[in-house]
Structure formats: C-alpha cells, structure tokens
Amino acid sequence: MGQFDGQPSVRWSLRGLTEEGDEAWLIRGIARKLYRCPGCHGEIPVGEEHTIVQYVRRPTGTDHHHWHRQCAEELLIPELAKLRRVPASESSQSRLEARGRVRPGRRRS
Ligand SMILES: [Zn+2]
C-alpha cells in the first residue's frame, strides 16, 4: 500500500480496519500530559500535536493509544485496511464508545 495522503487534522479523522477486523480511528490530538508512543517508545511532550489511535472492539468496547504523527504514519497506517477519511465530528469519544457497545438484546458470548 502506498503512502496515505494525509494525516488526521482538526477537520478530518481516519478510519481503517485492523487485521483482526476491529475499527481503528486515527484522531488528531494535543497532548495534555506526557505520553509514550508505542511505535518508538519515545515521549510525546505536553502540548505536542500527535495522533490518538482509538480501537473500537466489539463487544469489549474501546481503548486508545497516543502515537507520534510520524510513527503512526510509518508504522500504523500501512497496517490498516480500507483506510478512509471521515469528518472529525464522527470520531468524538462518546460516538466511538457507542459504536463499541453491544446492542441491548444481543447475546453475549
Ligand atoms: Zn513515536
């Protein structure tokens, strides 16, 4: 897969599928505390623009990680299938949590 044209921004997030079939949302964020990037194990300082990767797993809900923009582009984005751009408004925390929730009445395994 070629280099994806673009990074998450104020207006746009990215959504793709992991090998396991979970949704992965890439969202632009500003670090409010010190984070450690899973890609390079380096620090993301407070105030730095970075990429929040939010996984939506059914039925277990969501979890997220903070990546350097560069690391996400080089290590993470190439692993994702069906990557597309979505309006950032669709990637709000509450919306993603709702996507990860099991519908009432559906049997849990
Ligand atoms: Zn990194």
Side-chain angles (χ1 to χ4, degrees):
M1 182 176 160
Q3 192 168 20
F4 189 76
D5 182 26
Q7 284 263 11
S9 66
V10 176
R11 291 186 54 204
W12 298 99
S13 298
L14 305 177
R15 188 184 69 199
L17 289 177
T18 67
E19 276 187 356
E20 293 80 30
D22 297 316
E23 289 181 358
W25 292 69
L26 279 64
I27 303 157
R28 173 192 173 273
I30 301 292
R32 272 174 277 176
K33 57 177 192 171
L34 189 71
Y35 295 116
R36 196 163 288 277
C37 169
C40 67
H41 304 289
E43 292 178 348
I44 302 172
V46 174
E48 184 163 303
E49 188 178 34
H50 67 290
T51 299
I52 303 165
V53 181
Q54 177 108 35
Y55 294 104
V56 179
R57 299 192 163 98
R58 297 189 173 94
T60 54
T62 61
D63 65 78
H64 68 276
H65 305 274
H66 297 265
W67 288 69
H68 290 119
R69 284 168 75 84
Q70 184 82 22
C71 293
E73 185 174 356
E74 290 176 1
L75 301 173
L76 195 65
I77 287 176
E79 303 277 298
L80 297 174
K82 297 184 182 169
L83 198 67
R84 52 175 293 219
R85 220 160 57 143
V86 290
S89 58
E90 286 190 23
S91 62
S92 71
Q93 188 79 18
S94 56
R95 287 220 191 189
L96 293 188
E97 280 171 7
R99 285 177 85 90
R101 220 166 273 151
V102 187
R103 287 212 181 83
R106 215 166 124 194
R107 252 180 57 185
R108 286 173 186 275
S109 50

